[in-house]
Amino acid sequence: MAHHLFALDENQLRQLVNARSTWRSFVDARNEAQQVRGSMAWKKVKEREYLVRKSASGAQKSLGPRGPGTEKMFEGFWRRKEEAQARLKAMRERLEEQRKLNRVYGVGRTPAVVVRVLAALQEADLADKFVVIGTHALYAYETAAGVHVESGVLATQDLDLLFDTRKRLAFAASLDRTGERSLIKVLQRADKSFRLRKERNENSTAVNDKGFEIDVVRRMAGPAADPHPLRMSDDEDDFWAVQIDQGDKLASGRKFEHLVVASTGEMALMRTVHPLEFIRLKLELAARKTRDAHKAPKDRAQAEVVQQLWDEYLQHMADRPQSGTPLI
């Protein structure tokens, strides 16, 4: 069954290209600035001065006594830091210009709350530990194709984030560097109204004041190295990741990354499942006898529209590596 796909006009496509270019430059500038986070200073210990590197989290490390080598290191660090901060400031200003143009030209329509959540995860260095699954993946596919799909297949008020349990140690380290105690605190950077709703004595869903929900899910627990139940942090009021039976296929399958744009013009990188994986899993869900009768038709419709996007617009991705390269 063919679905209506509405191609972006020339002005919209041109603006999307410009926005993506600016986003790439912004990401480069942000990565460069992250390399020189924290500070360096001289510290006097028993009549001698030592160069000390202080991380963003407050940890200190001595780099050696004062001398030609450490003085050169000190000067180079502060020069790079000043240059990186100036470039990042300039790129933030350019990004804001592109945000306004995105809104003027109507380039994007990803829900703003989704884009802000993705941006908050990226700022906290947590984005690569999660995969967006479900309906919202269609926003990444349609943006890559330069079209808008019919709105009926996109209607949803919840975002499912699949946590890769294989990265839980890296997740904990990144969360610690943010200065936040929990994942819910990171998501509240995107929308301060998010609150966890208790179900069966476990915090499994966050809801904001507009009724938008976020669930954190995971693959079914396997060996002892993959524990369950799994709370996302030591904070007793944080998410518990919920097991789903398709979790292993989703976590292990091919991935797809693309810039998405909100109706407000804001941008973020969405990491989701490959379109062909999405089609296969949606058809598998729809065929289950236990599937909710109200959800199965939507599963099939979404599989059909993504197949159409693949056939008509995304065939150039067929030879990309399985791990996926961001199309931003």
Side-chain angles (χ1 to χ4, degrees):
M1 175 182 175
H3 292 261
H4 293 296
L5 303 178
F6 306 94
L8 301 183
D9 63 33
E10 289 185 10
N11 290 329
Q12 289 174 311
L13 290 172
R14 187 180 306 112
Q15 173 53 31
L16 183 57
V17 170
N18 291 338
R20 286 165 55 185
S21 177
T22 301
W23 172 264
R24 282 194 293 266
S25 297
F26 165 72
V27 170
D28 289 343
R30 184 175 61 191
N31 290 341
E32 184 180 335
Q34 287 177 340
Q35 297 301 313
V36 286
R37 287 186 300 180
S39 64
M40 277 190 187
W42 299 105
K43 185 176 181 180
K44 194 169 185 179
V45 180
K46 294 181 179 181
E47 305 305 319
R48 295 194 70 181
E49 284 189 308
Y50 293 85
L51 181 59
V52 175
R53 174 73 185 266
K54 187 175 181 179
S55 72
S57 63
Q60 296 187 19
K61 178 182 179 181
S62 175
L63 301 177
R66 188 160 193 161
T70 51
E71 286 181 351
K72 184 177 181 180
M73 194 182 303
F74 177 82
E75 293 170 1
F77 172 83
W78 285 107
R79 183 177 61 254
R80 293 194 308 275
K81 188 176 181 72
E82 183 178 348
E83 292 172 351
Q85 289 179 331
R87 182 172 181 235
L88 182 59
K89 181 182 178 182
M91 289 311 308
R92 285 191 188 279
E93 292 173 355
R94 285 185 58 190
L95 198 66
E96 175 61 14
E97 293 171 1
Q98 293 300 320
R99 183 196 69 79
K100 293 176 180 177
L101 290 171
N102 285 341
R103 184 170 183 176
V104 167
Y105 286 106
V107 167
R109 58 176 186 160
T110 307
V113 64
V114 173
V115 173
R116 289 168 187 165
V117 164
L118 295 176
L121 291 173
Q122 186 65 57
E123 286 283 351
D125 193 27
L126 299 175
D128 64 334
K129 285 77 173 177
F130 293 93
V131 177
V132 172
I133 60 174
T135 299
H136 284 98
L138 272 73
Y139 289 108
Y141 306 151
E142 70 167 17
T143 307
V147 303
H148 287 164
V149 306
E150 56 190 71
S151 58
V153 295
L154 291 168
T156 184
Q157 271 288 95
D158 64 281
L159 174 67
D160 290 329
L161 296 174
L162 176 73
F163 176 59
D164 190 340
T165 57
R166 296 167 297 185
K167 298 181 178 181
R168 64 188 183 282
L169 296 180
F171 170 85
S174 294
L175 186 63
D176 183 60
R177 286 194 295 270
T178 69
E180 301 289 9
R181 294 185 305 141
S182 61
L183 177 60
I184 185 61
K185 292 292 186 183
V186 173
L187 299 186
Q188 285 170 345
R189 294 181 180 182
D191 184 333
K192 62 182 180 182
S193 73
F194 272 119
R195 295 291 183 273
L196 284 162
R197 183 176 65 205
K198 283 188 177 291
E199 294 181 4
R200 298 183 301 278
N201 297 318
E202 293 181 358
N203 304 321
S204 59
T205 303
V207 187
N208 71 1
D209 287 349
K210 295 183 179 180
F212 189 87
E213 301 181 354
I214 297 179
D215 287 298
V216 176
V217 299
R218 54 159 294 175
R219 65 182 183 179
M220 302 297 287
D226 191 13
H228 185 77
L230 176 64
R231 190 168 59 198
M232 297 304 296
S233 71
D234 291 334
D235 189 333
E236 62 182 17
D237 293 322
D238 204 4
F239 284 94
W240 290 84
V242 177
Q243 296 182 106
I244 58 171
D245 59 1
Q246 286 189 321
D248 194 52
K249 292 179 181 179
L250 288 164
S252 302
R254 291 175 293 176
K255 303 299 185 296
F256 177 84
E257 295 180 345
H258 203 282
L259 190 71
V260 291
V261 185
S263 55
T264 58
E266 296 164 86
M267 296 174 279
L269 185 68
M270 180 181 289
R271 184 169 184 263
T272 185
V273 298
H274 190 281
L276 296 181
E277 296 287 335
F278 181 96
I279 295 165
R280 180 177 62 81
L281 292 166
K282 279 292 181 177
L283 290 177
E284 180 182 300
L285 271 177
R288 292 184 180 181
K289 293 181 179 179
T290 55
R291 186 61 167 165
D292 187 323
H294 297 288
K295 294 181 178 180
K298 187 174 181 180
D299 292 331
R300 284 189 288 270
Q302 290 181 343
E304 289 168 357
V305 77
V306 174
Q307 184 69 63
Q308 189 174 346
L309 285 170
W310 177 263
D311 292 341
E312 297 181 17
Y313 296 96
L314 301 176
Q315 283 291 321
H316 64 281
M317 293 176 50
D319 296 327
R320 290 173 64 211
Q322 282 201 356
S323 59
T325 301
L327 286 171
I328 59 173

